Amino acid sequence: MESKKLIVTASPHITNHTSTRGLMLNVCIALLPALVASTLIFGARALLVTGVTVAACVGFEALYCVVMKKPVPVGDFSAVVTGMILAFNLPATIPLWIAIIGAFVAIVVAKQLFGGLGFNFANPALLGRIVLFIGFAGRMTAYAFPQTDIDALASATPLVAGNSMLLQLLLGAHGGVLGETCAVALILGGIYLIATKTISAAIPLSYIGTVAVLSLVLGQDVVLQLFSGGLLLGAFFMATDYVTSPFTFTGRIVYGVCLGVITCIIRFYGNMAEGVSFALLLMNLLVPYINDLTRQKPLGGAKAK
């Protein structure tokens, strides 16, 4: 009988069966309530935009890996998640060719050119959204109102217009991008991610809590600031990205608080109503430094001089 080989590895020793595919599937499941809500609010066009961005992200990833003679990783569902989150950052009125450009930026430029999953410096969907916002600002802010013709343009989201009706914000009966209108759907998705331990509650709670406290202190409408704009989408689904968020508990708290501060500064004192995307991009760049500063020293280890 052949003896078993003794495999010696360095710590940490992972004993559970968590996989990238399983985590990404959980994120997809958590995004489904928002997808259903956006379809009910904006019609079949929401499904079309989401389907196109997901297909484009998966296609670009497969094509790039084939051309570069690398293993095709589309089976891990990370490209599907990127496509869904990117779609949720787009209005229902977006021309499909612009959505495809966003998918190319997210997958090829932000992800694969830096080495693929685990090596991207920023959330791919976030970078795709920012590039589209800068390059196609008019198209990216051409929102459609619920129960109107899908090509009818809305003048503003509630964050701009100042409408603080709680029920309207919770149910998504207002203009905006696909994934930021229905707060209830986003909260349900966030609870699912936390309950399944797909994400840590530290980042979303510290982020949302900071925005709530600063809004109260600075005399802003707290309900409006929390339930409109992209705060919930960013807090639960973008700020918690494994690659671009801190891995220490202290770092996650610092990260979330800084996100809240920067978001409020942009919203209250900047020239744009929404500051989530640019706050996330800035903090993504600072994550390596946060990890270094909050890394726990080994027991008995000497302090750096």
Side-chain angles (χ1 to χ4, degrees):
M1 181 177 178
E2 185 179 356
S3 61
K4 295 182 179 179
K5 293 182 178 179
L6 178 63
I7 301 175
V8 180
T9 61
S11 62
H13 306 292
I14 301 175
T15 58
N16 63 21
H17 300 286
T18 302
S19 64
T20 300
R21 179 186 175 92
L23 294 173
M24 294 299 107
L25 281 174
N26 277 341
V27 177
C28 289
I29 293 171
L31 289 168
L32 287 180
L35 178 60
V36 172
S38 66
T39 303
L40 294 175
I41 294 168
F42 299 111
R45 175 83 182 180
L47 279 178
L48 178 61
V49 172
T50 304
V52 167
T53 56
V54 169
C57 285
V58 172
F60 282 131
E61 182 155 270
L63 181 61
Y64 179 91
C65 291
V66 168
V67 171
M68 300 302 294
K69 298 180 179 180
K70 298 170 57 179
V72 179
V74 295
D76 63 13
F77 278 82
S78 62
V80 174
V81 170
T82 298
M84 293 184 72
I85 295 178
L86 176 61
F88 287 2
N89 280 277
L90 304 176
T93 55
I94 196 76
L96 298 181
W97 63 272
I98 294 181
I100 293 173
I101 291 176
F104 176 83
V105 173
I107 293 297
V108 178
V109 178
K111 181 180 178 182
Q112 290 298 336
L113 288 181
F114 286 89
L117 183 65
F119 297 96
N120 44 288
F121 72 95
N123 185 294
L126 169 67
L127 197 61
R129 192 260 184 197
I130 290 177
V131 169
L132 293 186
F133 182 80
I134 295 174
F136 306 96
R139 297 286 193 175
M140 288 289 288
T141 54
Y143 306 120
F145 277 125
Q147 299 178 350
T148 61
D149 184 84
I150 201 65
D151 292 325
L153 304 185
S155 59
T157 65
L159 196 58
V160 178
N163 190 339
S164 59
M165 295 176 62
L166 178 59
L167 185 61
Q168 181 185 21
L169 293 171
L170 289 175
L171 298 181
H174 55 82
V177 300
L178 297 183
E180 72 178 20
T181 51
C182 184
V184 170
L186 294 170
I187 293 171
L188 288 176
I191 292 173
Y192 175 82
L193 291 178
I194 294 172
T196 57
K197 298 183 179 180
T198 304
I199 65 171
S200 166
I203 292 175
L205 292 185
S206 59
Y207 188 3
I208 295 170
T210 301
V211 172
V213 170
L214 289 178
S215 299
L216 185 63
V217 171
L218 297 174
Q220 300 291 326
D221 189 325
V222 178
V223 173
L224 182 67
Q225 296 300 326
L226 295 185
F227 297 128
S228 62
L231 179 64
L232 295 179
L233 178 65
F236 287 119
F237 296 99
M238 301 173 75
T240 55
D241 176 57
Y242 286 100
V243 181
T244 57
S245 63
F247 52 72
T248 66
F249 178 78
T250 303
R252 289 168 180 167
I253 298 297
V254 171
Y255 180 71
V257 170
C258 290
L259 281 172
V261 171
I262 297 171
T263 298
C264 288
I265 290 174
I266 296 175
R267 282 185 173 186
F268 303 160
Y269 305 108
N271 293 326
M272 62 180 68
E274 184 54 76
V276 173
S277 294
F278 290 99
L280 281 168
L281 179 60
L282 176 60
M283 291 310 300
N284 280 177
L285 298 176
L286 296 179
V287 163
Y289 302 101
I290 295 176
N291 283 333
D292 286 340
L293 293 173
T294 60
R295 190 190 304 270
Q296 184 177 2
K297 293 180 176 61
L299 182 63
K303 295 182 179 181
K305 295 181 180 181

